[in-house]
Amino acid sequence: MVWAWANDALVRASSFHPRFIPWEDHQRWFRRKLDDAHCQYLIVLEDAQPVGQLRFEACGGSAVVHISLSPHVRGRGIGGAALGLACPLVRVGTGVGRIVAHIKPDNVASLRMFMKAGFRHVASVQVDGHLAEELVLDLS
């Protein structure tokens, strides 16, 4: 399920690494994330059914957030609601003071979702050779 979300065409196009992810690569990556003490990996549920994932990777005083949703629930506010519920928990779990998101400038839906969830734009930056908008949510 997570592998299918990761390989969805829109998710790949919005990613900083847009190529298809082979199953074996995904399995290794997923195991590393689940075993990483600095990573909080959450599954988003709607009516007790998995519909997406949120991942927070702590580094220093910040955590970088990644999100992907099943295509059938996009545009319904579920991503923003999940961010609103999960972000306060990151501070409890990791002690970080802010959450950072990097989003491609043409990903208007994600930019809007993060801004609506309280993130603010701080800079345009390069991420893995791609232009990205850096948005931050201060938890303090």
Side-chain angles (χ1 to χ4, degrees), residues 107-137:
N107 189 347
V108 177
S110 286
L111 288 168
R112 194 176 9 233
M113 177 186 67
F114 276 90
M115 298 291 276
K116 199 171 181 180
F119 284 71
R120 63 183 167 79
H121 182 267
V122 294
S124 294
V125 297
Q126 289 286 316
V127 175
D128 295 328
H130 297 273
L131 182 62
E133 303 306 328
E134 184 171 276
L135 284 75
V136 170
L137 177 68

Side-chain angles (χ1 to χ4, degrees), residues 76-93:
R76 296 183 18 218
I78 291 172
L83 278 171
L85 291 170
C87 287
L89 300 176
V90 173
R91 182 180 177 93
V92 171

Side-chain angles (χ1 to χ4, degrees), residues 15-33:
S15 174
F16 296 107
H17 303 280
R19 67 178 231 294
F20 176 83
I21 304 165
W23 172 245
E24 296 77 19
D25 293 352
H26 174 74
Q27 285 182 303
R28 284 189 296 276
W29 172 88
F30 194 61
R31 176 53 48 205
R32 278 195 316 272
K33 295 302 173 187

